[in-house]
Amino acid sequence: MSLPLVIDYEHGISAIDAQFHRPKRAAIHLIVEKGAAALVDTGTSFSIPGVIASLEHKHIAVEDVAYVILTHIHLDHAGGASECMRLFPNAELVVHPRGASHMANPARLVAGAMGVYGEAEFKRVYGEIYPIDAARIIEAPDESRIDLNGRSLLFLDTPGHARHHNCIFDERSQSFFTGDTFGVSYREFDANGLEFVFPTTSPVQFDPAAAHASIDRIMRYQPRYAYLTHYSQIGNLAHHAQSLHELLDAHVEIAQRAKNAEDRQAVISKALREILLQRLTQQGCRLLLDAIDELLRSDIRLNTQGLIHWLDQPTERFKQL
């Protein structure tokens, strides 16, 4: 197997491309501390041969993978977990308490995804997902820690994108592994020394009040970097936190305006595209419009679906904002 794209950062952190739909869409983060390794998120089962090849290239034995850490259990982050646990004999799976039972018995998780994609498309995108021995699963509640060969990793409960979401603060690098809580940032959009970050409101647990609170909680640690699953290291975090707050409010306002529209999906999608294009233009993005649309298409579709689901929930959401 040829090596996937691997980006090596300081403090023993690397991003291994999950090869999910396209290069540089989803990253699997590797943390190495004095010979012991941890993975943060797994991509899908089809991502794992690339992880094995990357470990071999770095002379890291499968026996030295101590932890497989999931920020949350959406399948672009956790679909490869059971394959990891099959191949890494000494690893323990670390997951939010709300997600642990779905890793031990993934039947509901798989059935829900198959209901969305259909069985054939599900297997094409995600492959096989198997139960994981509950004895190898560590639940990581808020403010719990694990020790990676003397390196402390702190878990914070950070809902907003999903209720089963943790962000992980790495004290060695003074950085967070944020899954989807701190948004999405594709490297193709980098311009003038600044990354472009936007929120993910995908279904079915988007909660804007919780999303705002989680961003603020992350920033209270004054992190140097955030390592996003989509896609890896970003700096300039104070700027991006402010931008995420503004864009979250804008997403919610767009959804509220479209609540009674005849074709909410088209109205919301069009407005999301317009605001993201406006922000990209302001930042100096020089990509052609077709290239921008290609990069944003899937996220706009998912964000639209999540906003519609949020609109339809019988909650007091307007009081929360």
Side-chain angles (χ1 to χ4, degrees), residues 121-177:
E121 180 67 5
F122 173 89
K123 289 190 173 180
R124 185 189 73 81
V125 175
Y126 297 110
E128 296 292 339
I129 295 173
Y130 299 102
I132 295 170
D133 182 357
R136 297 179 67 190
I137 297 175
I138 298 174
E139 295 187 15
D142 189 40
E143 297 191 350
S144 60
R145 295 176 183 267
I146 61 172
D147 181 279
L148 180 66
N149 225 0
R151 182 172 182 161
S152 180
L153 300 175
L154 170 68
F155 288 73
L156 298 184
D157 184 14
T158 49
H161 174 76
R163 290 193 291 271
H164 46 81
H165 201 302
N166 277 324
C167 287
I168 300 96
F169 184 61
D170 171 31
E171 294 188 351
R172 176 65 50 83
S173 66
Q174 291 291 296
S175 299
F176 268 99
F177 295 88

Side-chain angles (χ1 to χ4, degrees), residues 211-222:
H212 283 298
S214 291
I215 292 166
D216 287 340
R217 191 175 188 198
I218 287 169
M219 291 306 297
R220 282 198 287 273
Y221 285 76
Q222 298 182 307

Side-chain angles (χ1 to χ4, degrees), residues 35-294:
L39 294 173
V40 182
D41 288 339
T42 68
T44 72
S45 60
F46 300 119
S47 307
I48 308 310
V51 172
I52 297 294
S54 300
L55 293 176
E56 289 176 351
H57 184 74
K58 291 177 174 293
H59 306 292
I60 298 169
V62 293
E63 292 82 4
D64 291 330
V65 178
Y67 298 109
V68 176
I69 300 167
L70 303 179
T71 59
H72 61 301
I73 62 169
H74 290 166
L75 292 178
D76 53 329
H77 299 254
S82 62
E83 184 69 357
C84 282
M85 299 305 285
R86 185 180 75 83
L87 294 170
F88 304 141
N90 299 323
E92 294 178 288
L93 184 79
V94 189
V95 62
H96 191 285
R98 288 180 180 268
S101 64
H102 294 285
M103 293 292 100
N105 180 5
R108 284 179 56 200
L109 190 65
V110 170
M114 281 190 181
V116 173
Y117 296 102
E119 183 174 356
E121 180 67 5
F122 173 89
K123 289 190 173 180
R124 185 189 73 81
V125 175
Y126 297 110
E128 296 292 339
I129 295 173
Y130 299 102
I132 295 170
D133 182 357
R136 297 179 67 190
I137 297 175
I138 298 174
E139 295 187 15
D142 189 40
E143 297 191 350
S144 60
R145 295 176 183 267
I146 61 172
D147 181 279
L148 180 66
N149 225 0
R151 182 172 182 161
S152 180
L153 300 175
L154 170 68
F155 288 73
L156 298 184
D157 184 14
T158 49
H161 174 76
R163 290 193 291 271
H164 46 81
H165 201 302
N166 277 324
C167 287
I168 300 96
F169 184 61
D170 171 31
E171 294 188 351
R172 176 65 50 83
S173 66
Q174 291 291 296
S175 299
F176 268 99
F177 295 88
T178 60
D180 285 343
T181 295
F182 209 80
V184 170
S185 180
Y186 298 130
R187 300 281 57 79
E188 294 92 337
F189 289 141
D190 293 355
N192 301 319
L194 186 64
E195 310 93 350
F196 178 69
V197 183
F198 61 97
T200 170
T201 65
S202 55
V204 294
Q205 296 180 349
F206 173 58
D207 180 339
H212 283 298
S214 291
I215 292 166
D216 287 340
R217 191 175 188 198
I218 287 169
M219 291 306 297
R220 282 198 287 273
Y221 285 76
Q222 298 182 307
R224 293 181 61 213
Y225 297 107
Y227 290 92
L228 285 55
T229 302
H230 314 284
Y231 190 85
S232 205
Q233 188 194 80
I234 62 170
N236 307 292
L237 298 189
H239 168 86
H240 294 314
Q242 179 61 35
S243 180
L244 282 168
H245 284 309
E246 293 169 0
L247 283 170
L248 278 167
D249 287 340
H251 278 53
V252 167
E253 183 180 348
I254 286 167
Q256 289 171 338
R257 287 202 309 264
K259 182 181 181 184
N260 298 315
E262 187 173 327
D263 188 352
R264 291 185 298 179
Q265 183 161 332
V267 171
I268 292 172
S269 294
K270 181 174 184 289
L272 293 183
R273 178 180 179 271
E274 286 174 354
I275 193 169
L276 294 177
L277 284 175
Q278 179 187 51
R279 290 281 183 130
L280 282 164
T281 300
Q282 288 172 351
Q283 189 168 305
C285 177
R286 294 179 178 85
L287 291 179
L288 296 176
L289 187 58
D290 285 350
I292 293 173
D293 281 333
E294 183 64 27

